[in-house]
Amino acid sequence: MTKLPVEFYQHHDVIELSKLLLGKHLFTKFNEQVTAGMIVETEAYRAPEDKASHAFGLKRTKRNQVMYLSGGHAYIYLCYGMYTLFNVITNTEGIPHGVLIRAIQPTIGLEIMQKRRNKIKIDRSLTGGPGALTQALGINVKDSGILLTGSKIWIEDRNTNVKEEDIIASPRVGIDYAEEYIHMPWRFRIKNSPWTSPAK
DNA sequence: AAGAGGATGCCCT
DNA sequence: GGGCATCCTCTTC
């Protein structure tokens, strides 16, 4: 029931934090509607050297400027013209590290999520996938840059213990342009979870 | 079960 | 103007 403080996002490397975020609970509250789910899949983006990161080489653009804020801020952007992707900024100010949340296991407000997603079934298709979960949680690009200790989007530790041997690491997807960083095993998921995005 | 292709808009990775 | 940190539908096996 503890809302994670900004310190949580600032005292570990982004690779470690991508694993630590597994089992934590992502909450949103918009228009008095609360929805939440347990994080089951993440990806680390580790600029400046990571060629898959929007902040590769410490490049600054209008879109990615919030990546340079301190750990505990949200970086939200539009992908492929129609999908909103949600990232947690980590590390200290000036080092643009981020964790992409790729899948959650829905826990609170399932009916609200079904309505937002226009889905009948409650299965992996409801919140499995980075664009799907933001739609289910009602996350909008307009909230890029907000703090995750506020009242709209936050993450809680509910004492779910995810052991190292229950974490599967694999290469990230959709980053064919990232050259030698294509094969970095920086995608993490909870083993045997039926809520992660489809295998491969 | 698996693959192909289309949708769609912002940012230039 | 090209290319996305994607998802859904339709087709075919």
Side-chain angles (χ1 to χ4, degrees):
Chain A
M1 292 284 277
T2 316
K3 189 181 289 189
L4 292 171
V6 291
E7 288 78 14
F8 173 82
Y9 306 99
Q10 300 175 357
H11 292 170
H12 300 275
D13 186 78
V14 66
I15 307 297
E16 185 65 20
L17 271 165
S18 297
K19 295 191 267 186
L20 287 174
L21 282 167
L22 295 175
K24 300 294 189 290
H25 292 253
L26 177 60
F27 281 74
T28 63
K29 183 179 181 183
F30 296 112
N31 301 319
E32 298 306 312
Q33 294 189 309
V34 175
T35 48
M38 187 177 76
I39 297 169
V40 296
E41 183 175 338
T42 61
E43 272 179 7
Y45 286 85
R46 199 174 190 284
E49 71 275 17
D50 179 7
K51 290 180 178 171
S53 172
H54 291 167
F56 168 62
L58 297 185
K59 181 176 284 286
R60 279 179 184 265
T61 67
K62 186 174 181 224
R63 180 177 66 165
N64 79 6
Q65 60 185 345
V66 306
M67 294 186 77
Y68 293 86
L69 298 174
S70 55
H73 285 83
Y75 173 43
I76 305 166
Y77 71 95
L78 192 68
C79 185
Y80 296 109
M82 59 182 84
Y83 296 111
T84 302
L85 269 56
F86 172 76
N87 300 256
V88 176
I89 297 309
T90 73
N91 224 292
T92 50
E93 197 157 349
I95 303 175
H97 289 175
V99 180
L100 171 66
I101 307 302
R102 293 196 54 89
I104 62 172
Q105 172 177 342
T107 55
I108 296 174
L110 302 209
E111 308 80 10
I112 299 169
M113 297 196 225
Q114 286 170 285
K115 199 169 296 177
R116 285 175 179 152
R117 294 276 295 140
N118 195 24
K119 291 275 184 189
I120 308 291
K121 295 176 67 174
I122 294 176
D123 60 11
R124 180 172 72 190
S125 70
L126 186 63
T127 54
L133 74 91
T134 55
Q135 188 177 28
L137 294 173
I139 293 174
N140 191 285
V141 289
K142 290 192 186 332
D143 286 317
S144 188
I146 66 170
L147 263 175
L148 298 174
T149 49
S151 61
K152 291 176 163 179
I153 310 174
W154 69 94
I155 301 177
E156 292 189 12
D157 185 352
R158 296 206 157 188
N159 299 316
T160 306
N161 187 30
V162 178
K163 297 197 270 301
E164 183 74 25
E165 60 263 35
D166 290 330
I167 297 175
I168 296 176
S170 60
R172 298 168 295 178
V173 289
I175 52 157
D176 291 347
Y177 53 85
E179 302 181 4
E180 72 269 28
Y181 283 87
I182 291 173
H183 301 110
M184 291 294 174
W186 289 350
R187 182 188 194 186
F188 304 98
R189 69 178 81 196
I190 296 180
K191 188 194 287 183
N192 296 330
S193 171
W195 299 97
T196 61
S197 49
K200 266 275 164 65

